[in-house]
Amino acid sequence: MEDKVSNDPVVAIVGVTGAVGAEFIATMDKRGFRVGKLKALASARSAGKTVSFHGQDVIIEELTERAFEGVDIALFSAGGSISKKFAPIAVKAGAVVVDNSSAFRMDPNVPLVIPEINANRIRDHKGIIANPNCAAITALVPLWPIHQSNRIKRVIISTYQAASGAGAAAMEELVESTRANLNGQVYTPKVMPHPYAFNLFNHNTAIDPDTGYNDEETKVINETRKIFEDDKIAIGVTCVRVPVLRAHCEAITFECEKPISEDQVRAIMARARGVKVVDDRARNYFPMPIDASGQDDVLVGRIRKDFSDPSGHSISMFVAADQLLKGAALNAVQIAELLPQRVMA
């Protein structure tokens, strides 16, 4: 693209060749995000290749310490180690960083933002804004309006997380291993710790030997409390990787302080931002990853009483959301869209 010729921001994408990086571009294109100039940044091996944005070819540049000169907004999705090294450099150069890694999420000086919940926290940034964990976003977008209406005391979440959460290489491994399995061939996993085709397993993050929780589960617990600004909320999480290409699903049961009915939850969900109700008992049609893929909204269904709680304070439901969109790129772009109004004006 040409050099910046307007008052629109110069935007850098770090990790532009990855699965989320590609979605950053597609999402900005789809939403008509105004950019004065786009800087596509990746490793040296990708430098010189091109990506398309607004119908123009953008040459990929190597990510270096000088890459952020003149950049207003930097969208990062290249892993925690890259973010820890280069995000402070981008901030020092004058950019506002929206980081998709876990590097800064629990830093008390870094806002952790889901725009439907706490967009007001954007103004508190000191150069870096963190994008929450994808499993946390999927659960919290529908839980927040319920929490506002009738405080949630306790929530139990079981996730069914797609290959997209582990990146493009994991998605390709699922395709290749499935093809090999169907052809009766042996496939040795290269990305995942276990065979992926026709299998599911504990989320492929490290297990805390003391608690037995994996890192993904710990993220959901800690990030929920930070975003809801409620350290007392009780959270139990089990995160599982399933052989689905794209879009995470979650079974959620929550307990409120006051009694709550199915009809109340449906009414709240019907008017909630970023939520689409898919709850057709007659057709046995509820949220599925195949429907959530490519969608901006979190799909919510299977809304029903939790029979294990006779007090009437608990509801169970099932949700699905595109991990690459609302779970990552879309949420980050939504944050970036608010920056000119709240930060740069």
Side-chain angles (χ1 to χ4, degrees), residues 11-239:
V11 177
I13 296 178
V14 179
V16 72
T17 58
V20 176
E23 291 298 336
F24 279 146
I25 289 179
T27 299
M28 288 193 297
D29 239 338
K30 178 182 176 181
R31 295 173 69 87
F33 188 93
R34 295 178 63 87
V35 173
K37 179 183 177 182
L38 180 71
K39 296 194 73 173
L41 303 175
S43 64
R45 64 178 177 273
S46 296
K49 299 177 182 178
T50 61
V51 293
S52 179
F53 179 64
H54 287 349
Q56 299 184 46
D57 286 336
V58 179
I59 298 174
I60 297 173
E61 303 173 37
E62 181 181 358
L63 175 62
T64 67
E65 294 185 2
R66 301 193 61 182
F68 298 98
E69 294 178 5
V71 171
D72 298 307
I73 301 171
L75 304 177
F76 273 66
S77 189
S81 61
I82 294 294
S83 293
K84 286 177 182 178
K85 178 179 179 180
F86 286 98
I89 293 171
V91 172
K92 189 174 181 180
V96 178
V97 170
V98 183
D99 181 43
N100 197 56
S101 80
S102 62
F104 303 103
R105 288 176 187 157
M106 298 313 298
D107 186 325
N109 295 313
V110 174
L112 184 63
V113 174
I114 300 173
E116 291 86 350
I117 298 175
N118 60 344
N120 61 304
R121 288 299 178 196
I122 291 173
R123 64 189 177 206
D124 299 333
H125 82 86
K126 295 178 174 60
I128 299 173
I129 302 165
N131 218 35
N133 170 272
C134 52
I137 292 174
T138 299
L140 300 188
V141 169
L143 286 177
W144 173 248
I146 297 166
H147 188 66
Q148 285 185 299
S149 174
N150 185 349
R151 180 180 173 271
I152 294 173
K153 295 168 49 180
R154 182 170 181 259
V155 60
I156 303 295
I157 302 171
S158 295
T159 74
Y160 309 76
Q161 294 182 233
S164 55
M171 296 172 75
E172 182 62 24
E173 177 156 298
L174 177 56
V175 172
E176 291 180 355
S177 62
T178 301
R179 184 181 294 116
N181 191 289
L182 291 172
N183 290 330
Q185 300 169 343
V186 175
Y187 184 91
T188 303
K190 305 178 186 66
V191 179
M192 290 299 187
H194 307 289
Y196 205 178
F198 305 102
N199 191 30
L200 54 82
F201 44 85
N202 176 63
H203 192 277
N204 52 297
T205 45
I207 297 286
D208 185 317
D210 295 325
T211 67
Y213 279 75
N214 64 46
D215 190 45
E216 188 83 349
E217 293 159 352
T218 303
K219 289 176 186 176
V220 173
I221 293 169
N222 292 337
E223 293 178 29
T224 297
R225 290 172 175 159
K226 181 174 180 177
I227 293 166
F228 277 18
E229 299 183 23
D230 187 346
D231 289 336
K232 294 182 179 180
I233 187 169
I235 308 165
V237 190
T238 301
C239 292

